[in-house]
């Protein structure tokens, strides 16, 4: 199993509407991304001070499946359109389990 975890914080300039649209786009992408593996999207539950705002967790059969997911033009377009304009901080890790 190859896992990809991304946590991010929205920019201070992004609006609630933009944040909601970005999460909706991520969730729509997760359905499409099922051809590569399993992708889960979640917004922070707001129970701990200082947490990041959202997370994407991808589970793939292997590194090649993740690489295909990451390189997919639909994925890149969704990021450019919905995430990048609203992103403050992004942190990611990939690991084998």
């Amino acid at each position: 199993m190859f896992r990809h975890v991304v946590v991010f914080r929205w920019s201070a300039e992004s609006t609630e509407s933009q944040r909601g649209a970005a999460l909706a786009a991520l969730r729509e992408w997760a359905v499409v991304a099922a051809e590569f593996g399993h992708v889960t999207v979640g917004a922070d539950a707001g129970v701990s001070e200082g947490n990041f705002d959202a997370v994407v967790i991808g589970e793939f059969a292997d590194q090649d499946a993740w690489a295909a997911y990451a390189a997919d033009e639909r994925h890149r377009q969704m990021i450019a359109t919905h995430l990048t304009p609203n992103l403050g901080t992004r942190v990611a890790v990939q690991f084998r389990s």
Side-chain angles (χ1 to χ4, degrees), residues 3-69:
R3 296 179 195 261
H4 170 65
V5 179
V6 180
V7 293
F8 52 92
R9 197 170 273 142
W10 302 119
S11 70
E13 297 79 24
S14 65
T15 67
E16 284 298 318
S17 176
Q18 291 168 320
R19 296 169 186 179
L23 281 171
L26 279 167
R27 289 183 175 117
E28 289 172 17
W29 166 244
V31 173
V32 173
E35 67 188 74
F36 303 105
H38 180 76
V39 177
T40 303
V41 176
D44 182 62
V47 297
S48 295
E49 186 77 24
N51 282 1
F52 277 58
D53 297 313
V55 65
V56 175
I57 302 170
E59 299 174 321
F60 305 94
D62 53 32
Q63 186 174 338
D64 290 339
W66 167 77
Y69 160 91

